[in-house]
Coordinates of all heavy atoms in Angstrom, one line a residue:
Chain A
A203 N 137.0 110.7 143.1 CA 136.7 112.0 142.5 C 136.2 111.8 141.1 O 135.4 112.6 140.6 CB 138.0 112.8 142.4
S218 N 115.4 110.2 134.3 CA 114.5 110.9 133.3 C 114.0 110.0 132.3 O 113.0 110.3 131.6 CB 115.4 112.0 132.7 OG 116.3 111.4 131.9
F274 N 106.1 116.3 109.1 CA 106.2 116.3 107.6 C 107.7 116.6 107.3 O 108.2 117.6 107.6 CB 105.3 117.4 107.0 CG 103.9 117.2 107.2 CD1 103.2 117.7 108.2 CD2 103.2 116.4 106.3 CE1 101.8 117.4 108.4 CE2 101.9 116.1 106.4 CZ 101.2 116.6 107.5
P280 N 114.0 108.9 103.8 CA 115.2 108.6 104.7 C 115.0 109.4 106.1 O 115.4 108.8 107.1 CB 116.4 109.2 103.9 CG 116.0 109.0 102.5 CD 114.5 109.3 102.5
N283 N 112.7 107.3 108.2 CA 113.5 106.2 108.8 C 114.4 106.6 109.9 O 114.5 105.9 110.9 CB 114.4 105.5 107.7 CG 113.6 104.6 106.8 OD1 112.6 104.0 107.2 ND2 114.0 104.4 105.6
E284 N 115.0 107.8 109.7 CA 115.9 108.3 110.8 C 115.1 108.5 112.1 O 115.5 108.2 113.2 CB 116.6 109.6 110.3 CG 117.8 110.0 111.2 CD 117.6 111.4 111.8 OE1 116.6 111.7 112.3 OE2 118.6 112.1 111.7
N288 N 115.1 106.3 115.8 CA 115.3 107.0 117.1 C 114.1 107.1 117.9 O 114.0 107.9 118.9 CB 116.0 108.4 116.9 CG 117.4 108.3 116.3 OD1 118.3 107.7 116.9 ND2 117.5 108.7 115.1
K290 N 111.1 108.3 117.3 CA 110.5 109.6 117.3 C 109.1 109.6 116.6 O 108.4 110.5 116.6 CB 111.4 110.6 116.6 CG 112.7 110.9 117.3 CD 112.4 111.5 118.7 CE 113.6 111.2 119.6 NZ 113.3 111.5 121.0
R371 N 125.0 110.0 82.8 CA 125.8 110.5 83.9 C 124.7 110.9 84.9 O 124.0 111.9 84.7 CB 126.6 111.7 83.6 CG 127.4 112.3 84.7 CD 128.3 113.4 84.2 NE 128.5 114.4 85.2 CZ 129.1 114.2 86.4 NH1 129.5 113.0 86.7 NH2 129.2 115.2 87.3
S374 N 123.1 113.2 91.9 CA 122.1 113.2 92.9 C 121.8 114.7 93.3 O 122.7 115.4 93.7 CB 122.6 112.5 94.2 OG 121.6 112.4 95.1
R514 N 120.9 93.1 102.6 CA 120.2 92.0 103.2 C 118.8 91.9 102.5 O 118.1 92.9 102.4 CB 120.1 92.1 104.7 CG 121.4 91.8 105.4 CD 121.2 91.9 106.9 NE 120.9 93.2 107.4 CZ 121.8 94.1 107.7 NH1 123.1 93.9 107.5 NH2 121.5 95.3 108.1
Chain B
E299 N 129.1 119.1 88.5 CA 129.9 118.1 89.3 C 130.0 118.5 90.8 O 130.5 117.8 91.6 CB 131.3 118.0 88.7 CG 131.2 117.3 87.3 CD 132.6 116.9 86.9 OE1 133.5 117.7 86.8 OE2 132.7 115.7 86.6
T338 N 128.3 115.8 93.6 CA 127.0 115.6 93.2 C 126.8 114.1 92.7 O 125.8 113.8 92.1 CB 126.6 116.5 92.0 OG1 127.5 116.3 90.9 CG2 126.5 117.9 92.3
S402 N 118.7 103.9 104.0 CA 117.5 104.0 104.8 C 117.3 105.4 105.5 O 116.3 105.9 105.6 CB 117.4 102.9 105.9 OG 118.3 103.2 106.9
D444 N 125.0 100.0 109.7 CA 123.7 100.7 109.3 C 123.4 101.8 110.4 O 123.9 101.7 111.5 CB 122.6 99.7 109.3 CG 122.7 98.7 108.1 OD1 123.3 99.2 107.1 OD2 122.3 97.6 108.2
Y445 N 122.6 102.7 109.9 CA 122.2 103.8 110.9 C 121.4 103.2 112.1 O 121.6 103.7 113.2 CB 121.3 104.8 110.1 CG 120.8 105.9 111.0 CD1 121.7 107.0 111.2 CD2 119.6 105.9 111.6 CE1 121.3 108.0 112.0 CE2 119.2 106.9 112.5 CZ 120.1 108.0 112.7 OH 119.7 109.0 113.5
R450 N 126.5 102.8 115.4 CA 126.7 103.8 114.4 C 127.5 105.0 114.9 O 127.4 105.3 116.1 CB 125.3 104.3 113.9 CG 124.6 105.2 114.8 CD 123.5 106.0 114.1 NE 122.8 106.8 115.1 CZ 121.6 106.6 115.6 NH1 120.9 105.6 115.1 NH2 121.1 107.5 116.4
F531 N 118.2 114.9 126.4 CA 116.7 114.8 126.6 C 116.1 115.8 125.5 O 116.3 117.0 125.6 CB 116.3 115.3 127.9 CG 117.0 114.6 129.1 CD1 118.1 115.3 129.6 CD2 116.6 113.4 129.5 CE1 118.8 114.7 130.7 CE2 117.3 112.8 130.6 CZ 118.4 113.4 131.1
D533 N 115.1 116.4 121.1 CA 115.4 116.0 119.7 C 116.4 116.9 118.9 O 116.4 116.8 117.7 CB 114.0 116.0 118.9 CG 113.0 115.1 119.6 OD1 113.4 114.2 120.3 OD2 111.8 115.3 119.4
S538 N 115.9 114.7 111.2 CA 114.6 114.6 110.7 C 113.6 115.5 111.5 O 112.9 116.3 110.9 CB 114.1 113.1 110.8 OG 114.3 112.6 112.1
A543 N 108.9 120.1 108.5 CA 108.2 121.3 108.0 C 107.4 121.9 109.2 O 106.8 121.1 110.0 CB 107.3 120.9 106.9
H584 N 136.9 118.1 136.9 CA 135.7 117.4 136.7 C 134.6 118.4 136.5 O 134.5 119.4 137.2 CB 135.3 116.6 138.0 CG 136.3 115.6 138.4 ND1 136.2 114.3 137.8 CD2 137.3 115.6 139.2 CE1 137.2 113.6 138.3 NE2 137.9 114.4 139.2

Side-chain angles (χ1 to χ4, degrees):
Chain A
S218 67
F274 293 93
N283 279 332
E284 196 236 47
N288 293 297
K290 298 296 159 192
R371 177 173 152 62
S374 183
R514 288 182 290 275
Chain B
E299 295 195 300
T338 55
S402 74
D444 292 327
Y445 181 80
R450 74 161 183 253
F531 310 95
D533 301 335
S538 52
H584 296 276

